[in-house]
């Protein structure tokens, strides 16, 4: 892959909490137009890496480059406006708002009062309903988010992430706590969106899903990459078998 194909690059990225190096000098590349994966054992630094990349926490050192721009110290909202959508390991929805209102929040740049008021355009509401249909929960649009299942909340979070049409989407354990039928729905949607041009970076512990879905995988252990390549290359790497699979 050339530099022009790189959607995200980190160089020497480091973040410590006390004496623990959660991310330890990580230099990585993820590629435009691909479904990229990031895997590793619990505590290997994957979510901290995500948080550094998306501006949720500031790294101690190193750089983050997205679409060729240094975004290392950008605020999360600025990174989002530059074309990055992101979901979280622990599903984040507004529990007392309806499913439809949760979708509309994703594209409203003003106050909470305006989210709940009459400032929604017909076009935005139609887009939200179309996205709910695409993720398969349009029949729940009037339900409060707290009253739908956890798997449905995951689909809602994914749908709201996609409301701004981000060209690059980072998903943190999209299959976590989700039943097999919903996992397949998420996988199908990711494949469809990737075919339409959306680039993905996915953290996931479901190895069957990650190996069947991803084109390019980076494996973390102790805060740094230990292997990179296609699923076939990665799953046969001795360092991966030792660190991740315990072989």
């Amino acid at each position: 892959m050339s530099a022009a194909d790189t959607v995200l690059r980190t160089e020497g990225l480091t973040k410590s909490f006390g004496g623990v190096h959660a991310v330890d000098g990580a230099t990585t590349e993820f590629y435009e137009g691909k479904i990229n994966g990031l895997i590793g054992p619990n505590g290997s630094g994957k979510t901290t890496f995500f948080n550094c990349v998306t501006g949720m926490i500031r790294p101690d050192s190193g750089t983050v480059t997205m679409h060729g721009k240094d975004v290392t110290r950008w605020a999360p909202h600025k990174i989002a406006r530059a074309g990055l959508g992101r979901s979280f390991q622990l599903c984040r929805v507004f529990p007392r708002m309806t499913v439809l209102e949760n979708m509309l929040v994703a594209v409203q740049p003003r106050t909470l009062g305006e989210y709940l008021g009459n400032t929604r355009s017909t076009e935005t509401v139609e887009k939200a309903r179309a996205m709910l249909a695409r993720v398969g929960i349009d029949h729940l649009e009037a339900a409060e988010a707290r009253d739908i299942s956890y798997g449905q909340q995951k689909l809602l979070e994914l749908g709201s992430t996609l409301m701004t049409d981000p060209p690059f989407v980072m998903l943190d354990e999209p299959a976590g706590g989700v039943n097999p039928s919903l996992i397949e729905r998420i996988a199908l949607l990711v494949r469809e969106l990737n075919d339409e041009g959306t680039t993905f970076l996915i953290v996931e512990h479901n190895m069957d899903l990650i190996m069947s879905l991803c084109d390019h995988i980076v494996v973390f252990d102790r805060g740094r990459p230990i292997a990179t390549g296609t699923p076939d290359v990665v799953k046969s790497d001795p360092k991966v078998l030792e660190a991740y699979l315990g072989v």
Side-chain angles (χ1 to χ4, degrees):
M1 293 285 181
S2 69
D5 297 318
T6 302
V7 65
L8 175 69
R9 175 176 172 79
T10 67
E11 189 164 358
L13 196 67
T14 299
K15 181 63 183 178
S16 298
F17 299 99
V20 178
H21 295 294
V23 179
D24 188 11
T27 295
T28 64
E29 283 191 327
F30 300 97
Y31 299 120
E32 187 88 40
K34 303 296 185 182
I35 302 175
N36 300 274
L38 178 61
I39 65 173
N42 287 330
S44 61
K46 304 181 299 298
T47 293
T48 301
F49 176 86
F50 258 42
N51 287 336
C52 287
V53 166
T54 57
M56 301 299 293
I57 58 176
R58 182 166 290 187
D60 299 326
S61 60
T63 59
V64 179
T65 305
M66 190 174 74
H67 299 297
K69 293 182 179 180
D70 187 339
V71 301
T72 309
R73 301 198 176 275
W74 285 19
H77 71 274
K78 187 176 180 182
I79 294 174
R81 288 173 182 168
L84 175 64
R86 186 252 169 102
S87 72
F88 291 84
Q89 182 178 2
L90 298 176
C91 192
R92 295 191 179 186
V93 297
F94 294 95
R96 293 182 179 273
M97 296 175 68
T98 69
V99 166
L100 182 59
E101 286 168 345
N102 268 270
M103 296 292 286
L104 296 172
V105 165
V107 292
Q108 292 286 354
R110 300 179 181 175
T111 67
L112 185 59
E114 289 176 328
Y115 294 138
L116 302 175
N118 295 316
T119 60
R120 311 162 184 154
S121 70
T122 300
E123 181 182 0
T124 301
V125 173
E126 289 177 351
K127 180 177 182 179
R129 285 180 168 144
M131 185 59 70
L132 287 174
R134 187 160 194 186
V135 300
I137 56 172
D138 49 316
H139 61 294
L140 298 170
E141 71 165 62
E144 290 189 354
R146 62 180 176 172
D147 293 330
I148 65 177
S149 72
Y150 185 73
Q152 290 165 338
Q153 289 181 12
K154 283 273 193 176
L155 292 172
L156 173 57
E157 184 184 38
L158 177 57
S160 64
T161 299
L162 297 170
M163 276 294 289
T164 57
D165 302 314
F168 180 33
V169 176
M170 295 173 62
L171 303 178
D172 195 350
E173 296 194 28
V178 177
N179 68 49
S181 64
L182 291 187
I183 290 173
E184 186 51 41
R185 179 177 294 170
I186 291 169
L188 178 61
L189 182 59
V190 168
R191 290 188 185 100
E192 288 176 350
L193 290 164
N194 181 245
D195 288 342
E196 295 167 14
T198 304
T199 300
F200 285 89
L201 172 54
I202 303 173
V203 164
E204 185 52 66
H205 282 294
N206 184 322
M207 294 295 288
D208 289 338
L209 177 65
I210 211 80
M211 292 297 172
S212 65
L213 197 58
C214 292
D215 308 298
H216 170 76
I217 298 173
V218 173
V219 186
F220 262 35
D221 187 35
R222 300 178 184 179
R224 62 175 59 190
I226 59 169
T228 183
T230 64
D232 285 343
V233 167
V234 163
K235 67 185 179 183
S236 61
D237 189 299
K239 296 187 295 294
V240 176
L241 295 174
E242 180 180 358
Y244 190 76
L245 301 178
V247 176

